[in-house]
Each structure stands twice: as C-alpha cells, then as structure tokens.
Amino acid sequence: GGSDGLDSNNNTTNNKTAQGPRILLAGPTDCGKSSLARVLTAYAVKLGRSPLLVDLDSSQNMLSVPGTLAAIPVSSDIINADCYCTSSVLSGVSHGAMMPLVLWYGSQDITSHPDLYKAQLQKLGSAIDERLAGEAEASASGVIVNASGCIEDVGYEYLLHAIDAFQINVVLVLGHDRLYSMLGTHFRAEAEKNQARQAPKLIKLPRSGGVVSRDASFRRASRSQCIKRYFYGNSISPKPSADGSLSAVTPHYQFSPCLIEVPFDDVQIHKLSNISLSASLLPISAKQSTDPIQLTTIASSEITPKFQHSVLAVCHPSAAEKYEQSGSARDLYLAGVAGFVVVEKVDVDKGLLSLLSPCAGSLPSRNLLVGDIFWME
C-alpha cells in the first residue's frame, strides 16, 4: 500500500541509519489530513520507529490547545486506541511520556500574523534539525507534518515555506487537483533553477473515505473540548454499583486543575502584533530593520474583565530569563511554552487574577502571552 511506498525512502524497513522520509500532508479543510497523519505515525511506530509528528494547524491542533503549533517524537507510549477516539493525539499519553514542543501563535486564524507564522515554521524546522543531527535512529524514523487546511493565497505561501523549513522530501496532496498541479509546476521551476537540489516527491491521493465536513459549531465544540482535555484529561467511566447499574454520578476526570490567585503586579501579560511595513513606506531597496513582530506589554491598569476566559500561554522560565536580559520579543514567541492557564475571574478592585492552572503552586514564570483564544466551561 501507500505506507510501504513511503517507507521505501529507506533502503529496507529495518534500516535504522538511513535518512527517513519527511512527509508533508497538504489539502483543504476536512479532507482527512489529520487522520492520515495518525495512520502513518502509527504505522511507523509499529515498525519500531519514533517519528516526529508536527501539527501546523493552529485551529484544530491535535498535539496541543488551539492557537498553537507543535511537534513531538511519537512512541508506543503515545499512540494507543484512545488517540483515535478524540481529536487529540495526546489523549493517550502515559505519565512520564515526552511532552511536545509547543509554540504559541495565539489565534485560530493562521492568516492573521503571516510574519509570526513563518518565523515559527522556521523555528520548528531548525529545532527538528538540531534534534535529529547526530541521532541516526531518530533521523531514520522520519518526520510527518500535518499542514493547515488553508491553501489559498497566504496559505499556499505557508505550504511552500513549510516544505523548505522542514526539508520535506514527500508531499501528499489530498483531494485537491489544482493544489497538486500548482505544487508540481513550482517544483519543476525550482528544479530548473537549482539542478543540484532534488525536488520533493509529489503524490496525489483522493479525499479520505468517510470524511465529513465539519460546520463552524462543531469546530467550536471540538476546540472547547480540546482545551478542557488539557486541564481535565479524559473522563473516567463510573464503575457499576453492586446491582450492576450505573449510578447517575458526576463524571470523574483524569486530572484535577487548581484555581490560583495572582496579583496583577506579579505577572506581565504580553500580546503579539504585526507591524510589517509595505515596500512603499521604506527607502528604495531597503529592508525593514525592526522585527515585524512586536510585543505589547499590557499595563496593570489595562487588565480588565475583558480578559475573563482568555487562554494564556505561560512562558518557559529559560525563555523568560533570556527576554528579561535582551528585551527581544523573539526570545518569547520563538520559544516553547511551559503550559497554559485560563483567566477565570478578573478582580479589578483587589488587583487579582483568578487563573485555572493544571497544577497547584506558583506559575513557572511571570511572563504570559495572550491571543484571541477563549474558553469557558
């Protein structure tokens, strides 16, 4: 089948030193990309590999909460039956399994910050190269990239950028003849310009059977469920009572998140924004010298109830330390985050934020990133 064909990129199925396939799945929304990514990942794990799975869809990310881009090395600790019952690969993660590298994009709309999205693609690509360098077995396991369903205009630019950033050598196009044709034309033109570089193998696949179009309300519910699963885990079925019946009890969950109170002055909330200047505003032949992605720190006086239900990314302590020294926004938005909290309540009179946190205790860092992702139980 198709999986055997893809695996022929390696000399044999048992060769753990050859360069593994770097596969990108492209196609419109609701064509079966995520499902195929899971099938290919499970197949690789069955062969004893540990492929890197990357999800570039900030709207319906299967590795983290909405508003993120993420990558994770997948092993048998992660892939199990639970993964196929939900929209999240990580629903089956066992305690102690490796967590994904997660970058905070901050929006479900990937067209809202093109410079930020492209910079994060580049960062994930370089992080993967660093991880695989010198690790023959990891390199042989390959990379599987699930691209966003946005394939028009800037979405097509993102696809080309991702193919370069992740050094993709196999592109699977699902259910879209025009995209297949456009990519084929692009690869041929690139090959003529640079004959030393081998073009990716381009494979056209039909739209996955059984795939149904998801309407806006279903997508909202799916995003909400994904955030709930981050904090609570999966629901645990109640045990039957002595007479064999299931009592009507409130469902139990794997995890118990905590409410923590944090003074406004103890945190710094930052918002990312784009300030790309058009060429007409710059001197002739000049490039923009400032970082097109700017960080706006929200003053304590501007923390109002409008932040209620906002999902905030908690910056990793090492990234926060770098940022404190450099003042460079890149040290925050190109670093993996430590986790997420949700603003449950904003008490302006007392100057307190009530945050739903996955664990008790103080936050890993005082630097928080806000976008336009909200969640209400």
Side-chain angles (χ1 to χ4, degrees), residues 273-296:
S273 59
N274 246 33
I275 58 156
S276 287
L277 301 176
S278 69
S280 60
L281 297 176
L282 294 168
I284 295 170
S285 301
K287 289 187 176 180
Q288 185 170 332
S289 58
T290 56
D291 189 337
I293 304 140
Q294 296 296 305
L295 208 60
T296 304

Side-chain angles (χ1 to χ4, degrees), residues 167-187:
Q167 298 179 45
I168 296 298
N169 53 31
V170 180
V171 178
L172 304 181
V173 178
L174 281 76
H176 205 281
D177 291 344
R178 190 163 66 86
L179 179 62
Y180 175 78
S181 175
M182 288 168 65
L183 286 172
T185 303
H186 173 78
F187 292 155

Side-chain angles (χ1 to χ4, degrees), residues 137-161:
E137 192 169 329
S139 183
S141 292
V143 180
I144 298 166
V145 180
N146 180 46
S148 160
C150 177
I151 56 174
E152 304 287 343
D153 303 323
V154 72
Y156 180 69
E157 282 181 39
Y158 289 160
L159 272 181
L160 299 181
H161 201 82

Side-chain angles (χ1 to χ4, degrees), residues 53-67:
L53 179 60
V54 183
D55 198 341
L56 305 179
D57 187 352
S58 70
S59 174
Q60 305 277 344
N61 199 294
M62 60 180 161
L63 299 178
S64 186
V65 303

Side-chain angles (χ1 to χ4, degrees), residues 40-42 44-45 49-53 72-75 138 141-144:
L40 292 174
T41 304
V45 170
R49 305 257 170 80
S50 182
L52 275 161
L53 179 60
I72 190 171
V74 183
S75 63
S141 292
V143 180
I144 298 166

Side-chain angles (χ1 to χ4, degrees), residues 338-353:
F340 305 93
V341 294
V342 171
V343 180
E344 289 286 305
K345 184 182 175 186
V346 181
D347 190 329
V348 177
D349 295 333
K350 293 181 180 177
L352 286 176
L353 285 172

